């Protein structure tokens, strides 16, 4: 028991610390308490498995896996795929519990492991405090608990003690007193802001900025961001394979939750020639502003009272890491003004933003973008009902949101912008007879452009996503030939192939579409979100007349709708963002918008997974107990009589210790017999220890010291003694069945 408790004292705090620090990565960011509770139970079960002798103890380690599989199998078939991902934190908890127990085992074998644990904990806190990082209070409290335990272990090791010197026992007995200061830390109020280590932070930042800035020059400084990661070579040609190299590109921070996924535009292409995307339109324009204004106008025109049902604003800060590029990265519907770019020179040519020169490590800029609520049931109707914005709505949007922008925002420029869209992003693509027949079948019954786009997007759902599709055949010279090859023959590729096919098919239906490259940030957080090279992605954008540009996702496995829940014009819950009423957010200043008070309704806790998991765990424990009991009886039945007699002897000694008659070290069986008060069955006052046990011990003494040979009658006497003392224990002690089960494990 002492060893078990010692393992828990070390393992549980370590496991919970690891879980809290890595909560976002294991998918438990929204269920922290539940994760810690499950982790506590799993760690306790695994510790039991490490201290019992059961031949079925290996099954205990499978409990989380079986519970995970059981939850998925018991769920509805339509939601199993989602649960497969959402419940992965159970498996991560099992792995973390094993890590915690390994550290506990190492600490009992070698004090250097506990010293290393202390160094890691102290280093983590020293690293976090000067940088102003938010440290979870539970992590701090548990870290102090472990540090105190390490100090006590060191003191115990250096203390020249006499008598009972077992280190683990001392730690277990002292643990309640160690817990007290840690509880004080955990329950005390902490300041809202971390201590301002201004000097240390400045020195640290200065050193890291200098080192990273110099190191970035040694990286692929002349390579633009897409060349190696999406699959394009320096000529922007469909190259056939993808470099899956991983490196950090930039960091994003926001004051409220960003879209998940978040699409960051890097470069927009307008023309496809054979196997290459090109940029032909390079005139100076304010296309991005027109697009945002048109979308705002469409929403105000559709539902002016509750614009927050469809759109809200988010401010995002960008910080480049190991990255060199001329392109400015922006989400769609951006509102980028001079007050958000830190006085950097920005050139806006065609549909793309450029820095005045290549920018590298340390580049920072901020912008506001408008998030679209595409989960709103009326969003599709909004798109389908969109029509050319009239001059009154346009003027209202311009004066309310963009009055301080120093550029041509007139209604006439908007009409010219629309004309330019149709001239640049539509072309007469003649499909082959076979593909035309295929598309006619796909689009049969689709009456609106939105329905056609949804059908086109659905075409690729059963295609294969692969990073190595191979090079395009050399005989492909036209867009039509590419479509025939990809859709009717190959049906496999990565994002560039799917985005290209979607754009060309949309244009073949007379719908303006363009090809976009950038980054697909699958999971954006409130804290720092890292954008890495493997997030490079390509996707199509389609122009909906009267609404603006909107993205589609034909690449299999990438499509996720973003938005928030609404009810009667009020925000009831937020799935990926916190909504803001746009009509009151900007007052002609061009600055970031202010938040309206967030209204939320607490969702009831779903206890079904917990209950099912608990029932599964109990069932597995019962199964383990049954298997263990059967295996012990089978093992005992195969023993010879002398070995059976020895097993009964050890079991009876254990019961005697439970009843207060311990067999001390160096004590003979005769001495043990003398200190036990035996009573016959006929005595009026029943004694705790029956006389049959005395007879058994006397026979056992002769076997041990006189080499007596065991007879069958003496084996029957041993069995009777064992049953008699079990009956005595049942009369005297509670939890008889559990004690009896544990005694039967003694070999």
């Amino acid at each position: 028991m002492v060893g078990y408790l010692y393992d828990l004292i070390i393992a549980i705090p370590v496991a919970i610390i690891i879980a809290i620090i890595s909560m976002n990565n294991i998918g438990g960011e929204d269920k922290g308490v539940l994760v810690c509770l499950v982790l506590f139970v799993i760690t306790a079960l695994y510790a039991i498995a490490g201290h019992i002798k059961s031949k079925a103890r290996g099954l205990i380690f499978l409990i989380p896996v079986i519970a995970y599989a059981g939850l998925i199998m018991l769920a509805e078939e339509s939601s199993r795929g989602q649960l497969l991902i959402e419940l992965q934190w159970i498996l991560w908890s099992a792995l973390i519990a094993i890590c915690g127990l390994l550290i506990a085992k190492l600490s009992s074998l070698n004090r250097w492991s506990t010293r290393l644990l202390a160094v890691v904990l102290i280093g983590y806190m020293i690293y976090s405090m000067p940088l102003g990082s938010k440290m979870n209070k539970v992590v701090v409290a548990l870290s102090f608990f472990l540090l105190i335990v390490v100090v006590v272990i060191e003191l115990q090791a250096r203390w020249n003690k006499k008598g009972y010197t077992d280190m683990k026992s001392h730690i277990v007995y002292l643990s309640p007193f160690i817990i007290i200061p840690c509880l004080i830390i955990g329950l005390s109020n902490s300041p809202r802001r971390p201590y301002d280590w201004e000097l240390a932070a400045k020195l640290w930042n200065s050193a890291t900025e200098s080192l990273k800035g110099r190191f970035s020059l040694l990286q692929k400084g002349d390579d633009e961001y897409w060349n190696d990661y999406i699959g394009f070579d320096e000529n922007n040609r469909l190259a056939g394979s993808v470099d899956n190299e991983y490196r950090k590109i930039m960091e994003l921070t926001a004051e409220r939750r960003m879209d998940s996924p978040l699409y960051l535009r890097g470069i927009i292409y307008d023309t496809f020639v054979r196997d290459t995307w090109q940029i032909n339109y390079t005139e100076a324009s304010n296309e991005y502003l027109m697009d945002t204004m048109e979308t705002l106008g469409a929403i105000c025109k559709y539902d002016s009272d509750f614009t927050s049902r469809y759109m809200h604003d988010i401010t995002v800060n960008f910080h480049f890491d190991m990255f060199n590029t001329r392109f400015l990265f922006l989400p769609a519907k951006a509102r980028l003004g001079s007050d958000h770019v830190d006085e950097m020179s920005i050139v806006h040519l065609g549909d793309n933003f450029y820095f005045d020169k290549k920018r590298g490590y340390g580049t920072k800029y901020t912008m506001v973008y408008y998030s679209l609520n595409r989960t709103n049931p009326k969003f599709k109707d909004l798109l389908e009902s969109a029509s050319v914005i009239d001059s009154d709505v346009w003027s209202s949007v311009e004066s309310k949101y963009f009055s301080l922008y120093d550029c041509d925002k007139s209604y006439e420029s908007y009409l010219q912008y629309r004309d330019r869209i149709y001239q640049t992003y539509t072309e007469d693509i003649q499909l082959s007879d076979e593909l035309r027949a295929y598309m006619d079948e796909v689009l049969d019954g689709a009456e609106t452009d939105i329905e056609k786009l949804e059908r086109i997007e659905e075409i690729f759902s059963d295609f294969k996503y692969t990073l190595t599709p191979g090079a395009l055949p050399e005989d492909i010279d036209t867009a039509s030939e590419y479509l025939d090859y990809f859709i009717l023959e190959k049906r496999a590729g990565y994002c560039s192939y799917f985005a290209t096919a979607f754009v060309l098919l949309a244009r073949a239906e007379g719908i303006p579409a363009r090809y976009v490259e950038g980054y697909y940030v699958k999971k954006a957080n409130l804290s720092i979100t890292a954008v890495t090279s493997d997030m490079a992605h390509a996707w199509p954008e389609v122009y909906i007349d009267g609404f603006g540009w909107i993205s589609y996702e034909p690449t299999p496995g990438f499509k996720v709708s973003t938005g928030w829940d609404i009810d009667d014009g009020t925000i009831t819950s937020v799935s990926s963002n916190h909504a803001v009423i746009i009509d009151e957010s900007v007052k002609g200043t061009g600055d970031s918008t202010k938040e309206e008070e967030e209204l939320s309704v607490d969702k009831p806790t779903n206890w079904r997974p917990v209950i099912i998991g608990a029932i599964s765990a109990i069932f597995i424990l019962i199964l383990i107990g049954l298997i263990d009991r059967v295996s012990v009886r089978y093992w005992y039945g195969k023993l010879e009589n002398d070995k059976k007699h020895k097993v009964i002897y050890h079991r009876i000694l254990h019961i005697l210790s439970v009843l207060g008659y311990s067999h001390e070290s160096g004590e003979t069986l005769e001495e043990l017999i003398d200190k036990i008060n035996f009573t016959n069955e006929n005595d009026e006052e029943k004694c705790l220890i029956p006389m049959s046990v005395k007879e058994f011990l006397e026979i056992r003494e002769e076997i041990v010291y006189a080499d007596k040979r065991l007879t069958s009658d003496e084996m029957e006497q041993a069995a009777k003694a064992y049953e008699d003392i079990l009956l005595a224990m049942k009369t005297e002690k509670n939890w008889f069945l559990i004690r009896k089960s544990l005694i039967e494990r003694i070999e």
Side-chain angles (χ1 to χ4, degrees), residues 153-381:
I153 290 174
E154 289 296 319
L155 291 175
Q156 291 287 324
R158 298 173 185 275
W159 189 2
N160 188 15
K161 302 184 295 296
K162 294 182 179 180
Y164 191 63
T165 60
D166 183 64
M167 183 269 294
K168 290 184 178 180
S169 297
H170 285 284
I171 298 298
V172 170
Y173 295 142
L174 287 172
S175 60
F177 302 98
I178 304 175
I179 292 173
I180 293 174
C182 300
L183 282 177
I184 294 174
I185 295 174
L187 297 176
S188 62
N189 292 327
S190 58
R192 297 196 176 191
R193 295 184 179 181
Y195 180 76
D196 186 11
W197 296 67
E198 185 176 358
L199 178 60
K202 285 183 177 180
L203 291 174
W204 176 269
N205 290 334
S206 177
T208 55
E209 294 280 331
S210 177
L211 288 173
K212 286 186 177 181
R214 293 177 182 275
F215 184 71
S216 66
L217 297 177
L218 302 177
Q219 302 297 309
K220 300 178 181 179
D222 295 331
D223 291 342
E224 294 296 356
Y225 75 96
W226 69 88
N227 293 350
D228 295 324
Y229 308 120
I230 296 183
F232 279 72
D233 63 12
E234 62 183 2
N235 297 317
N236 304 325
R237 182 174 58 85
L238 285 170
S241 61
V242 171
D243 185 349
N244 203 24
E245 178 186 345
Y246 175 92
R247 62 172 174 167
K248 190 175 179 180
I249 298 297
M250 67 180 83
E251 290 179 344
L252 311 179
T253 57
E255 295 178 355
R256 65 173 71 100
R257 196 173 298 278
M258 295 177 280
D259 290 339
S260 290
L262 176 64
Y263 288 88
L264 296 179
R265 290 175 179 168
I267 183 170
I268 299 171
Y269 293 95
D270 52 55
T271 305
F272 183 70
V273 179
R274 189 180 181 272
D275 58 359
T276 304
W277 278 103
Q278 300 175 353
I279 301 175
N280 288 339
Y281 181 76
T282 57
E283 297 180 13
S285 72
N286 56 348
E287 183 272 351
Y288 81 99
L289 188 60
M290 292 291 179
D291 176 47
T292 305
M293 290 177 66
E294 184 175 26
T295 303
L296 277 168
I299 293 174
C300 292
K301 178 179 170 184
Y302 183 79
D303 192 350
S304 60
D305 293 331
F306 299 109
T307 54
S308 63
R309 290 176 170 180
Y310 310 95
M311 177 185 276
H312 71 80
D313 68 307
I314 299 174
T315 302
V316 184
N317 302 303
F318 288 72
H319 183 201
F320 283 5
D321 202 276
M322 298 301 177
F323 191 31
N324 290 282
T325 184
R326 292 184 301 112
F327 291 94
L328 187 72
F329 288 85
L330 300 171
K333 313 301 177 187
R335 196 187 75 211
L336 182 66
S338 59
D339 53 334
H340 295 306
V341 193
D342 297 335
E343 299 182 352
M344 291 187 297
S345 297
I346 302 296
V347 179
H348 188 206
L349 298 178
D351 299 321
N352 294 295
F353 284 98
Y354 302 86
F355 292 111
D356 57 340
K357 60 181 179 181
K358 282 191 176 181
R359 301 281 179 164
Y361 177 82
T363 299
K364 298 179 181 179
Y365 58 92
T366 303
M367 107 281 300
V368 177
Y369 77 94
Y370 292 103
S371 174
L372 297 178
N373 185 7
R374 300 185 70 167
T375 60
N376 186 334
K378 294 185 178 181
F379 193 84
K380 181 178 178 180
D381 182 64

Side-chain angles (χ1 to χ4, degrees), residues 61 203 265 349 379 498 523 659 698 732:
F61 290 94
L203 291 174
R265 290 175 179 168
L349 298 178
F379 193 84
F498 293 101
K523 199 169 188 179
L659 298 177
E698 290 173 345
E732 184 69 18

